[in-house]
Amino acid sequence: MSRRHLPSLAGLQCFEAAARHLSFTRAADELSLTQSAVSKQVAQLESLLEHPLFRRIRRRLHLTPEGAIYLGEARKILAQVEMSTRYMQSYGGEADVLNVATLPTFGARWLVPRLNGFRFRHPNINLNISNRVEPFDMQQERVEVAFFFGHGAWPKAECIRLLKEEIVPVCSPQALVGMRVEEPLALTRLVLLQSTTRPEAWHDWFDAQGQYTEHSYHGPRFDTFYMALRAAQAGCGVALVPRFLAQEEIDEGKLMVPWPFSLKSRDGYYMAYPEHMADLYKVRAFIDWIRERIV
C-alpha cells in the first residue's frame, strides 16, 4: 500500500481521542494539542478515507456510522503499536518479556499452578500469557513458548510431551437424583454438552464401548472445557472432558463421573518453542522450570 494512502499515527490518535470524548476540545487537552490541530488531523483523515467520521447535531459531536466502524479499527492499530513498542523496549534488556500461549482451560488448571515461584527465581523475566485455541504461526505472533494438544508436531519447533489424556463424562450429583445409570446410553437422558474443539468426542466415547446414539452431536456447544465444566456443575447436562481438568471439582464433590469408562486419547499435551530460540536465556529458563514440574 502506498504511503500516501496510509493515515498518520497522529491522525489516528486525534480521531480516537475525539471519538472517545465526543469533543475536539477534550481530545486536544488530553493530547496536549490545540483544538484546531486536532480538528485538522481529523479533517485530513476524513479526506483520506473519503468518508465523514463526525457529524454535529444541535452543536454536539456524534460519530457517523463510518466513524463508528473506523473507530474499532483505529483502536486495534493503536493497541498493536503500543504493544509492539513495549515489546521492543523490553527486548534484550535487563527485564525481558516471555510471550507464552496456552489453551484456556489447560492454562488455568495445569499451567498457572506451576508458575508459583518462577518470578522469584527469574526476577528479570516478565511472563505475558495469552489464550490461543486456533493454530497460529509462532514467529509471526511473536510467541516464544506454546502449550497445545495434538500429535506433538509444530513447524520449526521443538516439542516436549507434558501429559497424556483420558476423557471422562462428568455431571452434577443433583443431575442424577432419581436416575439409575446402568449403561453408557443412559447418559443420553441428560443433555450431552458439546465441545467446539472436540466435535467427535461423544461419538468416539460411545463408539469405543460398542455403542451408538443419534444424540452424539446434539446439545449446547462450548468454546472451552472450562465453560463445559461450569455448565455441568450448574446442572445443565453431562460434559465429556479430560479428567485432570475436572479433578478438582470431582475431589470436592461438585462433579461426579456417572459412568466409569474413560477414553484414552492418542494425542497429548505438549510444550513447544522455536528451534532457533532454544538457547535464548528466557526460553531455556522457562522450559527448564516447567520440566521440573512435570508429574
Side-chain angles (χ1 to χ4, degrees):
M1 188 175 183
S2 172
R3 288 183 61 185
R4 62 191 178 88
H5 292 141
L6 289 174
S8 69
L9 190 59
L12 292 176
Q13 288 176 307
C14 288
F15 166 61
E16 192 281 330
R20 182 158 30 85
H21 294 293
L22 290 177
S23 167
F24 287 164
T25 301
R26 291 181 183 176
D29 290 341
E30 178 182 308
L31 299 172
S32 299
L33 298 171
T34 63
Q35 181 181 353
S36 61
V38 171
S39 179
K40 182 177 180 181
Q41 289 286 349
V42 171
Q44 290 175 346
L45 194 56
E46 290 177 322
S47 176
L48 176 66
L49 297 172
E50 299 181 350
H51 286 286
L53 299 175
F54 294 100
R55 179 175 291 112
R56 287 195 177 276
I57 301 176
R58 291 189 292 273
R59 300 181 66 181
R60 296 186 64 180
L61 202 62
H62 294 266
L63 277 170
T64 63
E66 298 90 339
I69 293 172
Y70 196 62
L71 177 60
E73 299 302 316
R75 282 175 171 164
K76 290 178 187 177
I77 294 168
L78 292 171
Q80 181 61 53
V81 170
E82 181 181 10
M83 185 173 66
S84 298
T85 301
R86 292 187 183 280
Y87 175 80
M88 291 309 301
Q89 286 172 337
S90 66
Y91 188 82
E94 292 184 0
D96 214 348
V97 174
L98 180 70
N99 293 306
V100 179
T102 181
L103 299 167
T105 313
F106 176 86
R109 293 296 176 94
W110 190 92
L111 176 59
V112 169
R114 287 164 175 78
L115 298 181
N116 184 24
F118 180 82
R119 178 70 174 176
F120 295 105
R121 184 185 292 185
H122 302 286
N124 294 328
I125 300 177
N126 297 314
L127 298 178
N128 180 35
I129 302 174
S130 60
N131 289 329
R132 300 293 179 96
V133 176
E134 300 296 331
F136 63 94
D137 186 300
M138 292 179 72
Q139 186 170 354
Q140 286 186 1
E141 299 293 324
R142 292 203 303 270
V143 169
E144 287 106 354
V145 179
F147 293 88
F148 71 99
F149 178 80
H151 301 300
W154 193 297
K156 299 179 182 179
E158 296 286 340
C159 299
I160 300 170
R161 186 168 187 141
L162 301 174
L163 68 158
K164 299 179 181 179
E165 178 189 76
E166 60 176 36
I167 300 292
V168 296
V170 293
C171 65
S172 167
Q174 287 72 33
L176 295 182
V177 173
M179 176 179 168
R180 296 180 65 180
V181 180
E182 297 179 336
E183 60 167 342
L185 290 176
L187 296 187
T188 61
R189 299 206 298 272
L190 301 173
V191 176
L192 301 184
L193 305 176
Q194 308 288 331
S195 173
T196 302
T197 57
R198 308 284 183 92
E200 301 289 330
W202 278 110
H203 171 80
D204 293 345
W205 187 79
F206 282 117
D207 185 63
Q209 301 171 81
Q211 305 288 325
Y212 169 79
T213 172
E214 61 183 9
H215 299 291
S216 291
Y217 302 99
H218 299 166
R221 197 166 300 275
F222 299 92
D223 271 347
T224 66
F225 283 128
Y226 177 76
M227 286 196 290
L229 284 168
R230 292 293 293 161
Q233 189 176 330
C236 297
V238 55
L240 201 56
V241 300
R243 179 185 286 274
F244 77 95
L245 295 180
Q247 196 61 54
E248 181 179 325
E249 284 83 358
I250 294 173
D251 292 342
E252 294 175 351
K254 297 176 180 177
L255 289 173
M256 63 175 295
V257 179
W259 184 255
F261 179 78
S262 63
L263 179 63
K264 293 176 174 58
S265 175
R266 289 170 292 183
D267 295 335
Y269 290 87
Y270 291 83
M271 174 172 57
Y273 57 95
E275 295 170 343
H276 68 278
M277 290 187 173
D279 296 324
L280 200 61
Y281 167 72
K282 63 180 180 179
V283 173
R284 178 52 52 194
F286 187 78
I287 296 300
D288 291 345
W289 177 272
I290 296 298
R291 269 181 154 163
E292 292 171 9
R293 285 152 182 80
I294 298 176
V295 178

